[in-house]
Amino acid sequence: MKKYFYLLTVFILLTACNKANEFKSNLKIENDSLRNKINELKTQIRLADSLKSTSQVTIANTDIKELTSKFNNQKYQIKISYPKEYFEKKENNYPVLYVIDAETNFGGVSYIVQRLIKDKLIPEILVVGIAYNTDYKNFYRLRSRDLTPVEDKHLRMGNKNVDPTGGAPKFSDFLEFELFPFIEEEFRTKKGDRAIYGHSYGGLFGSYTFLDKPHLFNRYLLLGPSLWYKEKLLVNQASNKSLSFNKPIKLYMASGEFDVRINDYQEEFVKFLKKKNILNLKLESEVIENETHRTIFGVGFTNGLRFIYGK
């Protein structure tokens, strides 16, 4: 009897110890979770404090408008950078450069444009940036939606959740039927002289308009184009599609030496176009040494502007 009592006591003690250990483990998990939430709140508080105490930087000769598209119900922030003497030279009309991803690149784009104009390497142009006026995370979801030509329900970027895709047709309708008429009514533009600048997904979107809606632009500056999208959909279209232009078109593409998959597909895309000997198309493609997907911007954008606006 004593033996059974001893065994029962040991069993009870072991069970109690296991429950205590389980309780401690659960308590540690809850504490770690609370600690992480507290750290996140502290970070948000520091960010809010920094925004309160930091004055905004204004870019000279710029303006901001807003348009809400009936095609996708999206409110867009439209950023405009004027040529320096736009308001003095009231008799002049200007070519327009439409800039994708102006959420992040509008300042850099505007500065390079100003430098090249000052050195008379490109003509005076009006820069129109398309942005969302949202936080960084939502910006990437919205550009994924707007800049991809067809839907891909399984695509994950960086092991994140599936982003919306396939909205390029609606976004291009926004450009053609809402943004272009607005800009051409509000500002002094050179009729029919429209360029597009896009990088990565923006380069994919530019390639889509080049193949499917070439009437939208006559100048294309596309960097690091994401032509891998949907199993090289647009590369295959470039191979199979019959292309003709009734006006002069300039296309500049560039990617970085270290952006291997991108530059491989870019060169394949360009190879198919060159084989077609397309009338009215002037084409330049570069794979630039010692550059990556991100660092291609400075040299690629500068070279591209000089090509699409050069003689």
Side-chain angles (χ1 to χ4, degrees), residues 22-73:
E22 183 179 351
F23 175 76
K24 287 180 181 179
S25 178
N26 291 336
L27 186 62
K28 183 178 185 304
I29 291 171
E30 290 179 7
N31 286 341
D32 289 343
S33 177
L34 286 171
R35 190 176 295 109
N36 289 335
K37 288 179 180 178
I38 290 170
N39 288 335
E40 288 178 7
L41 287 171
K42 286 180 178 178
T43 300
Q44 292 176 12
I45 291 169
R46 284 196 296 269
L47 176 60
D49 289 342
S50 71
L51 292 174
K52 287 179 184 177
S53 61
T54 305
S55 59
Q56 294 183 347
V57 176
T58 301
I59 303 174
N61 301 315
T62 61
D63 199 358
I64 292 178
K65 307 290 184 181
E66 284 189 344
L67 283 180
T68 299
S69 175
K70 66 181 181 183
F71 295 101
N72 58 12
N73 297 315

Side-chain angles (χ1 to χ4, degrees), residues 140-165:
Y140 274 99
R141 286 183 55 79
L142 292 174
R143 77 187 292 268
S144 174
R145 179 199 66 188
D146 282 352
L147 303 180
T148 50
V150 295
E151 189 176 22
D152 187 340
K153 294 182 179 179
H154 306 291
L155 177 67
R156 281 178 169 82
M157 300 295 288
N159 295 319
K160 298 177 182 177
N161 295 330
V162 176
D163 286 334
T165 51

Side-chain angles (χ1 to χ4, degrees), residues 9-24:
T9 303
V10 170
F11 175 76
I12 292 171
L13 289 173
L14 288 173
T15 302
C17 287
N18 287 335
K19 287 184 177 180
N21 289 335
E22 183 179 351
F23 175 76
K24 287 180 181 179

Side-chain angles (χ1 to χ4, degrees), residues 246-262:
N246 57 11
K247 60 183 179 182
I249 299 287
K250 283 189 170 183
L251 169 62
Y252 175 87
M253 304 184 94
S255 54
E257 173 190 11
F258 301 124
D259 200 5
V260 178
R261 180 173 65 158
I262 295 287

Side-chain angles (χ1 to χ4, degrees), residues 13 108 148 154 177 187 194 223 240 272 280 303:
L13 289 173
T148 50
H154 306 291
F177 300 112
F187 305 99
R194 295 190 294 258
L223 303 181
N240 300 323
F272 289 138
N280 283 328
N303 290 352

Side-chain angles (χ1 to χ4, degrees), residues 100-101 143 197-203 223-225 293-294 296-297:
I100 307 298
D101 292 334
R143 77 187 292 268
Y197 162 61
H199 172 259
S200 198
Y201 268 175
L223 303 181
H293 188 62
R294 291 178 177 83
I296 191 63
F297 166 68

Side-chain angles (χ1 to χ4, degrees), residues 207-238:
S207 302
Y208 158 75
T209 61
F210 174 82
L211 293 174
D212 278 25
K213 300 188 176 185
H215 61 285
L216 296 185
F217 303 100
N218 59 306
R219 308 178 196 270
Y220 298 81
L221 198 175
L222 311 178
L223 303 181
S226 299
L227 293 170
W228 51 264
Y229 186 79
K230 202 66 174 176
E231 298 179 344
K232 304 196 303 180
L233 173 70
L234 297 188
V235 176
N236 295 330
Q237 285 187 16

Side-chain angles (χ1 to χ4, degrees), residues 102-114:
E103 208 86 22
T104 58
N105 64 20
F106 188 70
V109 163
S110 300
Y111 180 77
I112 293 175
V113 166
Q114 290 171 13

